[in-house]
Amino acid sequence: MKEPNKGGGFWNNLRQGGMPSALASIRGGETAQQTAQQMAFIRSLMREKRRPEVLHTPLSELETVIFDLETTGFSHQHGDEIMSIGAIRVVGYDIKEEDCFYTLVNCSAVIPEDITRLTGISQEMTAKAPSLIDGLHNFMSFVGQRVLVAHGSSHDKGFLNAALWKTSKVQLTHRVLDTMMLARWLEPSRSNYTLDELLAVHGIPIKGRHHALEDSRMTARLWVSYLKEIAGRKQVDTLGDLYAYLSRT
C-alpha cells in the first residue's frame, strides 16, 4: 500500500489530534443520528403497553431487574443528576449473577466531596463516562419489558423519570416494585426499613455499599428472601396478588 503523503494538512491534522472540518461534520452527523436512534428506541419502549398477562405470572417465575442509581444528591428538582446505574436480572428465586449491568454516567452537575467519599465516584471519573442518553439507552435495552425492583424506589424512579424526560421527553411506564414496601407489609412492627438494616436482619453480607451494581446484588438477595417468605405464607401466588396485598398496606 502506498504510504500517504504525510506533508499534507489532512494527515498532519490527524497526527496532531485535530480533525478536518469536513470529517468533524461527518462525525457530528453520525453522533446526531445515533442519538436520534437511541431516543426513538426509548420512546418506543415507553409506548409499549403493560402486558396484563404479566399480572398472572407466578412470583416463582417472574422476570425482574433489580436496579440502583448513584446520584450527585437527593433532589433532581434542584439539579442533582445520575452518576451511575447498576442492575441485575432475577428469574423467580434465581439471581442471574452474570446477567448484570453497570455504567458510569457523564453528569454535568458538580459532585460534592461527601458524595465522592460515599460512592467512590469522582468528577474525573464521570467526565470520561458515557453520556446520559447512552447510559439510559443501554440500561433500558438491558431491562426490556421486565418488571423493575428497587429499594426506596421513589428516589430512583424520580431520577429515572427526570433523565428520561430530559433526553427523550418520555416518562417511565414500567411496573416498579419496592423491597421497602414488601418489608413494611411483611414486617410491620419494624421501626427502621433502611437497606442496611434489612440486609443485616436477613443475614445478607454488606459488601460494596453505595456502588450501584453491588447495591443491586444485595437488594436482589433481599427481594428473593421476601419472595420465599411470601411463598411460605401461601397468601400470594402471582404478581397481581402481590399488588393487591401491597395496595392494602
Side-chain angles (χ1 to χ4, degrees):
M1 180 182 292
K2 182 179 177 181
E3 185 178 3
N5 179 6
K6 295 181 180 178
F10 180 90
W11 292 102
N12 275 337
N13 212 344
L14 284 184
R15 278 193 342 217
Q16 293 167 9
M19 185 178 293
S21 59
L23 185 56
S25 176
I26 293 171
R27 284 290 301 277
E30 289 174 349
T31 302
Q33 182 180 14
Q34 180 182 354
T35 299
Q37 290 171 344
Q38 291 169 328
M39 289 173 59
F41 169 79
I42 290 172
R43 287 174 175 174
S44 174
L45 192 63
M46 297 309 156
R47 278 198 302 267
E48 291 186 25
K49 294 182 179 178
R50 293 179 177 181
R51 295 174 294 150
E53 62 270 20
V54 173
L55 293 174
H56 303 294
T57 304
L59 294 177
S60 59
E61 301 173 10
L62 183 67
E63 287 199 40
T64 57
V65 169
I66 287 70
F67 79 104
D68 181 67
L69 308 178
E70 294 301 332
T71 57
T72 61
F74 301 100
S75 176
H76 59 84
Q77 299 95 329
H78 294 95
D80 287 317
E81 297 181 8
I82 296 171
M83 302 187 301
S84 67
I85 308 172
I88 188 165
R89 190 166 72 92
V90 176
V91 180
Y93 310 132
D94 185 13
I95 301 172
K96 304 295 184 180
E97 293 289 351
E98 301 305 315
D99 198 357
C100 56
F101 173 89
Y102 180 77
T103 185
L104 288 169
V105 174
N106 190 330
C107 58
S108 57
V110 174
I111 302 175
E113 290 183 8
D114 59 333
I115 296 295
T116 295
R117 287 193 295 270
L118 184 69
T119 65
I121 298 174
S122 67
Q123 204 82 50
E124 292 74 23
M125 292 166 66
T126 62
K128 301 172 185 176
S131 66
L132 179 60
I133 185 69
D134 284 343
L136 286 174
H137 173 266
N138 295 338
F139 172 60
M140 295 314 305
S141 296
F142 177 79
V143 173
Q145 280 294 331
R146 299 182 183 96
V147 174
L148 290 166
V149 178
H151 190 78
S153 63
S154 59
H155 170 85
D156 302 279
K157 189 175 180 180
F159 272 89
L160 262 186
N161 271 326
L164 287 167
W165 186 257
K166 179 179 179 179
T167 59
S168 307
K169 297 296 183 283
V170 291
Q171 296 278 291
L172 187 69
T173 56
H174 288 61
R175 291 185 171 89
V176 182
L177 289 166
D178 193 333
T179 46
M180 185 181 290
M181 287 188 66
L182 290 184
R184 291 183 186 279
W185 169 45
L186 297 169
E187 306 172 60
S189 61
R190 189 170 298 286
S191 60
N192 187 337
Y193 293 96
T194 65
L195 183 58
D196 293 280
E197 172 73 11
L198 295 174
L199 291 174
V201 167
H202 288 266
I204 299 170
I206 298 174
K207 178 182 178 183
R209 189 75 172 88
H210 299 296
H211 182 285
L213 179 54
E214 295 306 319
D215 280 359
S216 298
R217 290 186 192 279
M218 291 182 285
T219 302
R221 294 188 64 182
L222 184 64
W223 163 253
V224 168
S225 176
Y226 282 140
L227 286 188
K228 291 178 179 178
E229 183 174 343
I230 290 169
R233 294 191 176 199
K234 302 186 184 301
Q235 298 169 298
V236 170
D237 180 48
T238 67
L239 178 61
D241 295 337
L242 180 60
Y243 274 124
Y245 268 86
L246 290 177
S247 67
R248 301 171 194 169
T249 59

